[in-house]
Amino acid sequence: MSTAPGPPAAVPPEPSGAPRPAGMLHVRFRTADGEPVGAEQYEQLLRLLGRFTPAVEALPPDAALADVRGALRYFDRDAVGIAELIRLRALAWHGVRCTIGIGGNPLLARMAAREAPPGGIRAVPADPREVAAFLDRRPAAALDGVGPATARALCAYGLDSVGRIAAAPPATLQRILGAKAGRAVSERARGIDPTPVTPNASARSMGAEHRFAHDELDPVRRRRALLSLADGLGARMRASGQVARALTLTVRYADRSTTTRTRRLEEPTAHGPALTEAAYALHAALGLQRARVRSLALRAEDLCRAELAAHQLTFDPADDKAHRIEAAVDRARARFGTGSVRPAATLGPAPGTGTAPASGPPGPARTTGRRAPWPAGNPLDPSGS
């Protein structure tokens, strides 16, 4: 009885000076309707990539990086042929469309994926002249690691395209951006990215998504959704004994484009108010004054066991009280269900009041019902009346 062959072995070290084949794949997953895939389906798609290569790096919530150089001879195909197999199997087995970028390193693969049509494949050949032509006329901000502030600094010196940055002496870029950043930008502008594909498990992250019934313009409702997502993520992490070192916000707009931002937390935490504050800061930094938002997704990244994380002690009694209240809320939810206790601000304005919840970070979660008044003269009345 024949058995299916396993994935090919890891890529052996290349001889010094040998050309690096275009065998890096950046794969982005979408459903047939163009929506993000769910967490369970994402796990299945990662296992699909694992059938082709063991070097798969999960990039939650909807992408992955795969090094298929060791699989080229095994499958007797080039990287484009393997990408076609992946795309075909993902569509046939899971009903998912894959947009795939192919390059000689992760940088080129990511940039190629951005250029690819939805559900298509875009390859950057390994030839240095082809790489230079691919990068030449792109704006400075197209390079990974070049944000708005760095792009403005480069444009002030006339370095407004990747080709001009590549032509500039590295020493000039180091004077403009600093030694480390200037060296990194100079290498990326020439298509150099030594970052390896690090196989990992998507279990090191945990996410949640809120989809609005209609494209949402109101920032108050978006903050309310972020509060609910952060509160739920914190509860799930505490239940599993984990804390997060970073938080990622993904915003999907009405035209199905997305923006993703990540922020490192001051310390590893699963504390709801700390996660909410970080989520609010990520949302505010995007400046979405009139953006039509279709969905918001929060993902707790770089998870570790809570007992292994360091916690900064504080003499603030309010902080200790907030943690004790949170523990009591977790016990109530474990006994009566997750919906038994919720932050009041997630409920929105009361019917007919027309008032919105406060815009500042919320306090600890509390029950939404009101206690009936004590009977007059009852000796158990805590008010003493």
Side-chain angles (χ1 to χ4, degrees):
M1 181 174 60
S2 62
T3 59
V11 180
E14 294 178 356
S16 177
R20 184 187 181 102
M24 296 287 181
L25 273 58
H26 187 276
V27 187
R28 190 169 62 249
F29 306 111
R30 288 288 186 271
T31 65
D33 297 330
E35 300 295 333
V37 296
E40 182 178 352
Q41 197 171 38
Y42 180 65
E43 294 284 350
Q44 296 172 354
L45 292 164
L46 289 181
R47 288 195 291 270
L48 170 63
L49 293 179
R51 293 173 176 262
F52 293 89
T53 173
V56 177
E57 182 175 348
L59 303 174
D62 59 359
L65 195 63
D67 186 347
V68 298
R69 289 177 295 158
L72 302 181
R73 182 178 297 178
Y74 182 87
F75 287 97
D76 194 24
R77 295 170 179 262
D78 59 6
V80 175
I82 292 179
E84 289 283 2
L85 281 178
I86 293 173
R87 189 175 65 165
L88 179 62
R89 294 185 183 183
L91 186 61
W93 295 352
H94 304 285
V96 171
R97 294 193 307 172
C98 295
T99 301
I100 304 177
I102 305 172
N105 55 52
L107 168 72
L108 295 175
R110 282 192 295 269
M111 295 184 70
R114 297 191 196 111
E115 298 286 328
I121 297 174
R122 176 75 160 89
V124 180
D127 182 73
R129 289 172 297 183
E130 298 278 358
V131 172
F134 173 75
L135 296 172
D136 185 47
R137 297 186 179 277
R138 280 165 175 72
L143 286 176
D144 287 349
V146 177
T150 303
R152 285 194 297 269
L154 292 170
C155 290
Y157 290 87
L159 304 175
D160 56 354
S161 69
V162 177
R164 291 182 177 179
I165 296 172
T172 301
L173 296 173
Q174 291 179 8
R175 284 196 297 269
I176 296 173
L177 304 176
K180 183 177 180 180
R183 183 167 55 251
V185 170
S186 177
E187 291 180 348
R188 290 170 183 167
R190 290 179 284 126
I192 300 173
D193 182 12
T195 306
V197 175
T198 305
N200 62 356
S202 63
R204 293 192 61 182
S205 65
M206 184 181 297
E209 182 180 17
H210 178 90
R211 298 186 184 182
F212 296 102
H214 307 283
D215 296 337
E216 189 56 71
L217 287 165
D218 188 354
V220 174
R221 291 192 177 94
R222 295 201 296 261
R223 287 167 62 89
R224 191 183 304 154
L226 289 174
L227 169 60
S228 180
L229 291 173
D231 180 68
L233 272 181
R236 289 167 57 192
M237 283 191 288
R238 293 191 299 274
S240 61
Q242 299 182 95
V243 291
R245 297 188 180 97
L247 193 68
T248 296
L249 170 64
T250 301
V251 181
R252 172 171 285 275
Y253 306 103
D255 60 356
R256 296 185 177 179
S257 62
T258 60
T259 300
T260 301
R261 293 290 184 271
T262 300
R263 171 168 294 202
R264 300 294 297 184
L265 301 173
E266 293 183 359
E267 64 178 28
T269 185
H271 189 38
L275 296 172
T276 301
E277 183 179 358
Y280 283 171
L282 286 166
H283 179 260
L286 293 178
L288 306 177
Q289 286 86 358
R290 296 189 59 81
R292 297 169 57 199
V293 175
R294 180 160 297 177
S295 68
L296 295 170
L298 274 185
R299 183 164 289 274
E301 306 277 8
D302 200 4
L303 300 183
C304 67
R305 299 299 303 174
E307 60 268 18
L308 302 179
H311 176 64
Q312 178 65 46
L313 297 178
T314 176
F315 293 102
D316 184 6
D319 181 71
D320 181 60
K321 181 180 179 181
H323 282 81
R324 285 189 284 111
I325 292 176
E326 195 168 58
V329 168
D330 289 341
R331 291 193 296 270
R333 286 172 170 170
R335 183 173 181 181
F336 301 108
T338 57
S340 59
V341 185
R342 296 167 55 191
T346 62
L347 300 179
T353 62
T355 59
S359 58
R366 58 185 183 271
T367 55
T368 59
R370 297 188 62 184
R371 176 170 54 86
W374 290 86
N378 191 323
L380 299 179
D381 186 352
S383 66
S385 58

